[in-house]
Amino acid sequence: MRKTILHMDLDTFFVSCERLLDSRLNNRPVLIGGTSDRGVVAACSYEARVYGIHSAMPMKMARLLCPGAVVIRGDSGTYSKFSDMVTEIVKERAPVFEKSSIDEFYVDITGMDRFVQTSYLWSRELREKILKETHLPISFGLSTSKTVSKVGTGEAKPNNHIEIPEGNEMPFLAPLSIKKIPMVGDKTYHKLRSMGVEKIRTVQEMPVELMERVLGKNGTVIWKKAQGIDNTPVVAWSERKSISSERTFEKDTTDVIKLRSLLVAMAENLCYQLRNGNKLTACVTVKIRYSDFQTYTKQKRIPYTSLDHTLIAVVLDLFEKMYERRVLIRLIGVCFSYLVGGTYQIRLFEDSEKLIKLYQAMDLVRNRYGQSAVKRAIGMGATTIGGMNPFNGQTPIIPAH
C-alpha cells in the first residue's frame, strides 16, 4: 500500500499570531525580530516580502527596503502557546503525526480511506477545524511522501491546500525550481546552477550516477526526491522526548565553583546537540542528589529555544534556588525536555546578526574538530562532557575528573 502523507504549515506563523493580537497589522508589511539596527528579521509578512525582505536579513537593511514596515520585537512565549493550541487539535484527530517544527506538522493517514470518504476530505476538515478554533491561516499538501507533500504545501500557500495524486508526483515537481527540493541549500543550488540545472525536470532526466559524482551521497538523495521517491517515515511525536546529562562524583563535594562549571559544561553541550539535531526545548530540569541519596529536581517551562546563553542562565538559576549549602552533593544533572523540531538556531527576536554568526561559527568548528573545540571558560574543567547521540534518551557516561 502506498503511503498517504499530509504536510501542514502555519502561514507566516509569527506574523499571523501578532495579527490575532492586533488587527491593525492586517494587510500591512510587518517585520518581526531584533528591533535595533544590529538585529535580524525573524519573520516577515507577505506584504513585506514584496520588497525583497526575507528571514535572517539584517533589520537595518529590511527597514531601508521598506521604510513603512511595522517592526515588532516578537514574543516566543506567545508563539509557543499558539503552537501548542494547534498541536492539541492535530493530536486529537490524527492517527500518527510528527511535529517537525513550531509551525509545521506531518501526518501519516495511510489507509484512512477505509474509514472516511477520502483522505483529502479528511485533511480539509482538519485544516478547517484549525482555522475555526485558532484563526491561524494554515496550508497543506497531500501526497505519497514527505518531500512531495512539503513541496506541495509551499505551492499551495498562502492559506490554501493541494493534493498530488499517486502517479502525478514527477509531473508536479518537474517545472519547479530545483531549490524547492528540501535539503537543497544555497551552496548546492549554486553548484547545480553552474551545471545548468535550474528545474527539477533536469534532475529527473539526469542519471543518478552523475548526481552522486557531483554531490556525493547527497546527490543520490536529491535525485530520488526529484523523482518523488522518499520513504522517510512519519515519526510519532511525543511531547516528553528529552536529552540529559548527569555526573556522579567519586567523592561527594560542596565545591560550588566546580558544580557551576560542570552545570555550564553540561548545558553548553546539550545546547550544541539541540542545534545540531535541529531541535528546540521548552523545559529545563536540574537534578541534585545529596550524599544521603535524597534526590531533588526543579524544572521550568520556557519558550522554545536552543541557545546556550538562554538555557545556561535557566540552569544556573534553578541550581541556586535548589542547592542547600554545606550539604555534600553526590550527583548533579541537567535535562532538556518537551523537544520539538526547529530549524532556526538562535533567538532572532533578541539577538544581533553578530551573535547569530558567532553561534554558527562555533557550531561549525565543533562539527569539524569535535564538541570540545569551543567552550566557555567557566566550563573548561569539565573536559569529558558529551560523546554520544543524546536523542535516544540515554544519559551520557561521563568519567569523573
Side-chain angles (χ1 to χ4, degrees), residues 156-360:
K157 288 184 176 185
N159 201 25
N160 213 327
H161 48 81
I162 188 174
E163 179 183 21
I164 302 94
E166 181 179 350
N168 284 22
E169 297 91 347
M170 288 183 65
F172 166 72
L173 294 171
L176 303 178
S177 167
I178 186 64
K179 202 168 186 180
K180 296 280 187 176
I181 294 181
M183 81 176 283
V184 174
D186 290 337
K187 288 184 179 179
T188 301
Y189 174 70
H190 290 308
K191 192 164 190 176
L192 289 169
R193 289 292 290 116
S194 69
M195 296 167 54
V197 178
E198 181 179 359
K199 304 294 184 181
I200 295 177
R201 177 184 290 105
T202 307
V203 176
Q204 292 175 343
E205 297 169 350
M206 291 170 63
V208 64
E209 294 81 8
L210 176 58
M211 286 291 289
E212 185 173 6
R213 191 158 59 246
V214 174
L215 298 172
K217 292 182 179 179
N218 283 344
T220 302
V221 176
I222 293 171
W223 183 87
K224 287 182 177 179
K225 289 179 181 291
Q227 316 299 318
I229 302 171
D230 178 10
N231 297 319
T232 307
V234 172
V235 180
W237 182 77
S238 173
E239 193 177 30
R240 297 297 300 185
K241 286 188 294 185
S242 65
I243 57 173
S244 62
S245 181
E246 292 183 355
R247 164 67 61 84
T248 300
F249 300 106
E250 290 183 353
K251 184 178 180 180
D252 299 347
T253 182
T254 56
D255 186 340
V256 177
I257 294 177
K258 178 180 180 180
L259 293 169
R260 288 176 181 149
S261 172
L262 188 56
L263 287 169
V264 168
M266 288 176 173
E268 187 174 31
N269 174 258
L270 293 177
C271 289
Y272 164 70
Q273 296 291 357
L274 285 176
R275 294 192 299 272
N276 207 37
N278 287 327
K279 298 288 183 179
L280 305 169
T281 180
C283 184
V284 178
T285 303
V286 172
K287 176 180 179 181
I288 296 178
R289 179 172 295 152
Y290 292 103
S291 55
D292 60 0
F293 287 89
Q294 292 290 321
T295 303
Y296 300 90
T297 61
K298 196 173 187 65
Q299 68 176 212
K300 182 177 181 180
R301 289 296 301 268
I302 60 172
Y304 287 115
T305 188
S306 60
L307 305 181
D308 295 23
H309 61 280
T310 301
L311 291 166
I312 287 172
V314 177
V315 167
L316 292 177
D317 181 59
L318 291 174
F319 173 73
E320 295 298 334
K321 290 178 178 178
M322 186 169 42
Y323 174 50
E324 295 182 16
R325 285 158 178 76
R326 297 184 300 278
V327 181
L328 290 170
I329 288 181
R330 177 182 177 84
L331 173 150
I332 57 173
V334 177
C335 176
F336 296 157
S337 56
Y338 292 84
L339 305 186
V340 299
T343 54
Y344 62 88
Q345 298 183 356
I346 28 58
R347 188 173 48 184
L348 293 172
F349 314 118
E350 301 179 22
D351 295 330
S352 67
E353 183 185 12
K354 182 178 180 180
L355 188 56
I356 292 170
K357 290 181 177 178
L358 174 62
Y359 268 103
Q360 293 172 340

Side-chain angles (χ1 to χ4, degrees), residues 25-78:
L25 299 175
N26 292 340
N27 303 315
R28 298 184 64 184
V30 178
L31 308 177
I32 297 177
T35 53
S36 69
D37 285 345
R38 294 200 310 155
V40 296
V41 177
C44 57
S45 65
Y46 286 110
E47 292 83 357
R49 295 180 190 182
V50 173
Y51 294 85
I53 299 171
H54 55 79
S55 61
M57 173 182 284
M59 186 62 75
K60 184 176 182 179
M61 182 182 297
R63 282 171 158 167
L64 289 173
L65 290 172
C66 185
V70 179
V71 180
I72 301 173
R73 187 176 184 80
D75 181 358
S76 55
T78 297

Side-chain angles (χ1 to χ4, degrees), residues 5-209:
I5 305 297
L6 169 69
H7 176 263
M8 310 187 80
D9 195 353
L10 291 157
D11 296 341
T12 57
F13 177 53
F14 296 163
V15 174
S16 297
C17 292
E18 294 292 346
R19 284 175 169 170
L20 286 179
L21 300 174
D22 186 355
S23 61
R24 293 174 298 178
L25 299 175
N26 292 340
N27 303 315
R28 298 184 64 184
V30 178
L31 308 177
I32 297 177
T35 53
S36 69
D37 285 345
R38 294 200 310 155
V40 296
V41 177
C44 57
S45 65
Y46 286 110
E47 292 83 357
R49 295 180 190 182
V50 173
Y51 294 85
I53 299 171
H54 55 79
S55 61
M57 173 182 284
M59 186 62 75
K60 184 176 182 179
M61 182 182 297
R63 282 171 158 167
L64 289 173
L65 290 172
C66 185
V70 179
V71 180
I72 301 173
R73 187 176 184 80
D75 181 358
S76 55
T78 297
Y79 308 148
S80 295
K81 290 177 182 177
F82 278 112
S83 175
D84 290 342
M85 289 170 58
V86 178
T87 303
E88 287 303 311
I89 296 172
V90 176
K91 183 178 180 180
E92 180 184 298
R93 299 176 65 89
V96 180
F97 80 99
E98 175 183 336
K99 186 172 183 177
S100 58
S101 74
I102 194 172
D103 59 353
E104 193 173 5
F105 303 84
Y106 289 99
V107 184
D108 189 338
I109 53 177
T110 305
M112 282 287 286
D113 287 344
R114 291 177 295 176
F115 308 103
V116 298
Q117 188 174 351
T118 67
S119 296
Y120 186 50
L121 179 60
W122 183 90
S123 302
R124 289 179 58 181
E125 290 175 348
L126 175 60
R127 174 178 174 270
E128 288 166 6
K129 183 176 178 65
I130 293 170
L131 283 168
K132 181 179 179 180
E133 296 190 12
T134 69
H135 303 290
L136 290 167
I138 185 168
S139 299
F140 78 71
L142 182 69
S143 79
T144 57
S145 72
K146 276 186 168 182
T147 292
V148 179
S149 295
K150 183 177 177 67
V151 174
T153 301
E155 294 304 294
K157 288 184 176 185
N159 201 25
N160 213 327
H161 48 81
I162 188 174
E163 179 183 21
I164 302 94
E166 181 179 350
N168 284 22
E169 297 91 347
M170 288 183 65
F172 166 72
L173 294 171
L176 303 178
S177 167
I178 186 64
K179 202 168 186 180
K180 296 280 187 176
I181 294 181
M183 81 176 283
V184 174
D186 290 337
K187 288 184 179 179
T188 301
Y189 174 70
H190 290 308
K191 192 164 190 176
L192 289 169
R193 289 292 290 116
S194 69
M195 296 167 54
V197 178
E198 181 179 359
K199 304 294 184 181
I200 295 177
R201 177 184 290 105
T202 307
V203 176
Q204 292 175 343
E205 297 169 350
M206 291 170 63
V208 64
E209 294 81 8

